[in-house]
Amino acid sequence: MEGANLSAVTEFVFTGFPQLQDGGLLYFFPLLFIYTFVVVGNLLIFFAVRMDVRLHNPMYNFISTFSFLEVWYTTATIPKMLSNLVSEKKTISMTGCLLQMYFFHSLGNSEEILLITMAIDRYVAICNPLRYQMIMTPRLCSQLSAGSCIFGFLILLPEIVTISTLPFCGPNQIHQIFCDLVPVLRLACTNASVILVEDVIHAVAIIITILIIALSYIRIVSVILRIPSAEGRQKAFSTCGGHLTVFLIFFGSVSLMYLRFNATYPPALDTAIALMFTLRNKDMKNAIRKLTVQICPSVMLPLVPICQ
């Protein structure tokens, strides 16, 4: 009888959504706009880099891979949030919850590893420029991008499989707006130390990644400051600006979620801000302008002078 009660939970109810009389439409349309902006913007970056040969270098290839991951990173949570905002029953099935956690965190892990790879790429470009082309070959860049994704997805698989075998007691209310590891583990009939371990793992992973990237940039800045000309220093700093901006915004939002242990907001807004900074890059704007003209010349040609 006890076993039957433990296995009775087949779905979870989200309680982190605002209780509004209008059914959440006040939040639905802004979130839909941000989600559309993030998806369209990142797809523009991805295809612009792939189709413009001038952007076929390690830095932009990593950025395009990051943009591709961002599309799926936001898609792992936002569509379900939008659905729950306009529905009375804000639920998700057990399987759906496990899949959402797996893809959300696996894609996040892949992005973290890719950010480390991008930092190493900038380190080699600034600190060892004469050997940069020999070290960062197209083949190595492809291997690093693929390796980041594969490792990001494999590292979380045992954890999700373990969670799927846990017994869940009667309460099925998740105090969040999407399925996350700690809120879900609070509902499992296990010792509370499991939750603490999850918190520590996420915190340590964030700190280690930040330290690696910070040490890389300390070395990069020290090398740049020794460049005699101001123009040379400005050019060197500009090559790192895009990655550094994405890094600060990405880990700023992640730190709020896991170092603080209690956030209840979607990361789509932070992604949108990072995307706007990336779109401001001159080479990226030129590539996107070229791509849009190729796709729809009759509409976009009159707009090109306005955008310049």
Side-chain angles (χ1 to χ4, degrees), residues 177-206:
I177 55 178
F178 63 94
C179 283
D180 207 358
L181 294 171
V182 174
V184 171
L185 282 173
R186 287 198 180 102
L187 304 178
C189 300
T190 56
N191 193 292
S193 61
V194 176
I195 299 173
L196 178 62
V197 169
E198 292 295 335
D199 284 341
V200 172
I201 289 174
H202 284 115
V204 169
I206 293 168

Side-chain angles (χ1 to χ4, degrees), residues 41-199:
N42 278 296
L43 287 176
L44 276 175
I45 292 174
F46 177 78
F47 286 111
V49 172
R50 297 300 169 183
M51 297 178 66
D52 194 331
V53 292
R54 294 172 299 177
L55 300 182
H56 288 181
N57 59 60
M59 182 181 70
Y60 285 112
N61 281 328
F62 289 138
I63 288 176
S64 72
T65 303
F66 191 90
S67 293
F68 181 77
L69 291 173
E70 274 294 311
V71 172
W72 298 108
Y73 180 68
T74 54
T75 301
T77 56
I78 304 301
K80 185 61 178 177
M81 289 183 200
L82 292 170
S83 173
N84 283 330
L85 279 171
V86 295
S87 64
E88 295 183 2
K89 193 177 181 182
K90 307 180 189 305
T91 61
I92 188 171
S93 66
M94 177 77 73
T95 302
C97 186
L98 291 170
L99 288 174
Q100 189 177 76
M101 286 191 298
Y102 176 66
F103 283 105
F104 178 74
H105 286 284
S106 294
L107 289 162
N109 289 337
S110 299
E111 290 184 354
E112 289 180 23
I113 300 167
L114 192 60
L115 284 171
I116 295 176
T117 304
M118 293 165 70
I120 295 172
D121 169 69
R122 292 300 85 201
Y123 174 85
V124 176
I126 300 298
C127 301
N128 202 351
L130 297 179
R131 298 188 60 199
Y132 178 72
Q133 296 294 336
M134 292 186 294
I135 296 174
M136 300 302 294
T137 61
R139 181 178 180 182
L140 178 61
C141 292
S142 298
Q143 291 173 340
L144 289 172
S145 296
S148 299
C149 299
I150 293 171
F151 186 73
F153 274 82
L154 289 179
I155 194 172
L156 196 72
L157 190 58
E159 187 174 343
I160 294 297
V161 171
T162 301
I163 293 174
S164 69
T165 63
L166 294 177
F168 285 87
C169 301
N172 67 338
Q173 294 185 339
I174 299 177
H175 301 293
Q176 252 285 16
I177 55 178
F178 63 94
C179 283
D180 207 358
L181 294 171
V182 174
V184 171
L185 282 173
R186 287 198 180 102
L187 304 178
C189 300
T190 56
N191 193 292
S193 61
V194 176
I195 299 173
L196 178 62
V197 169
E198 292 295 335
D199 284 341

